[in-house]
């Protein structure tokens, strides 16, 4: 299963959405998450993300392991996103900012 990590928060570029063959991206207010029950491990989304926010769960950095559960839990609550949408206007300013998890609105 592939996992969207903290870097996506407040960047939310959504380039990842259009390449997914099984529509497993779900949209929340500040980030997208992947439904682990739908993801077929194709890895197509990984190079699409301009800030490399998507990882195979086996390659997750230790400080991002919590996002396995976050993706699983929030994909059950948030709606499927059907296609790419414009990024937030200030997305670039949030690239690489640490501790963005505090802004993860559930
Ligand atoms: Fe979709 Fe493939 Fe990415 Fe899984 S790995 S979220 S199936 S594009
Ligand atoms: Fe997030 Fe990257 Fe997709 S910033 S919305 S994982 S393209």
């Amino acid at each position: 299963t592939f996992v969207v990590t903290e870097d996506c928060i407040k960047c939310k570029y959504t380039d990842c959405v259009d390449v997914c063959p099984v529509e497993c991206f779900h949209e929340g207010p500040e980030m997208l998450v992947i439904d682990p029950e739908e993801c077929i491990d194709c890895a197509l989304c990984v190079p699409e993300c301009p800030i490399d926010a998507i990882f195979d769960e086996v390659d997750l950095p230790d400080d991002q392991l919590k996002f396995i559960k976050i993706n699983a839990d929030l994909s059950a609550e948030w709606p499927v996103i059907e296609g790419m949408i414009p990024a937030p206007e200030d997305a670039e300013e949030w690239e690489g900012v640490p501790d963005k998890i505090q802004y993860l609105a559930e």
Side-chain angles (χ1 to χ4, degrees):
T1 289
F2 284 65
V3 175
V4 185
T5 62
E6 187 166 19
D7 278 344
C8 182
I9 296 171
K10 289 193 173 290
C11 288
K12 202 180 175 182
Y13 286 113
T14 73
D15 301 67
C16 52
V17 175
D18 282 344
V19 296
C20 182
V22 292
E23 296 194 336
C24 54
F25 284 94
H26 292 244
E27 183 187 7
E30 307 291 355
M31 77 178 292
L32 303 190
V33 291
I34 291 169
D35 181 347
E37 293 180 13
E38 297 292 330
C39 178
I40 58 171
D41 296 343
C42 70
L44 287 173
C45 54
V46 172
E48 295 302 314
C49 178
I51 55 170
D52 299 326
I54 305 173
F55 288 77
D56 188 328
E57 67 177 343
V58 300
D59 297 327
L60 277 171
D62 284 348
D63 66 349
Q64 298 297 303
L65 288 171
K66 59 175 94 69
F67 278 86
I68 294 175
K69 184 171 178 359
I70 288 170
N71 278 243
D73 289 351
L74 295 179
S75 63
E77 292 180 22
W78 291 345
V80 169
I81 176 170
E82 313 252 341
M84 196 173 171
I85 57 171
E89 283 183 14
D90 59 353
E92 281 185 34
E93 293 165 33
W94 287 99
E95 287 184 14
V97 173
D99 300 323
K100 291 195 287 184
I101 195 167
Q102 62 188 303
Y103 306 113
L104 174 63
E106 300 181 21

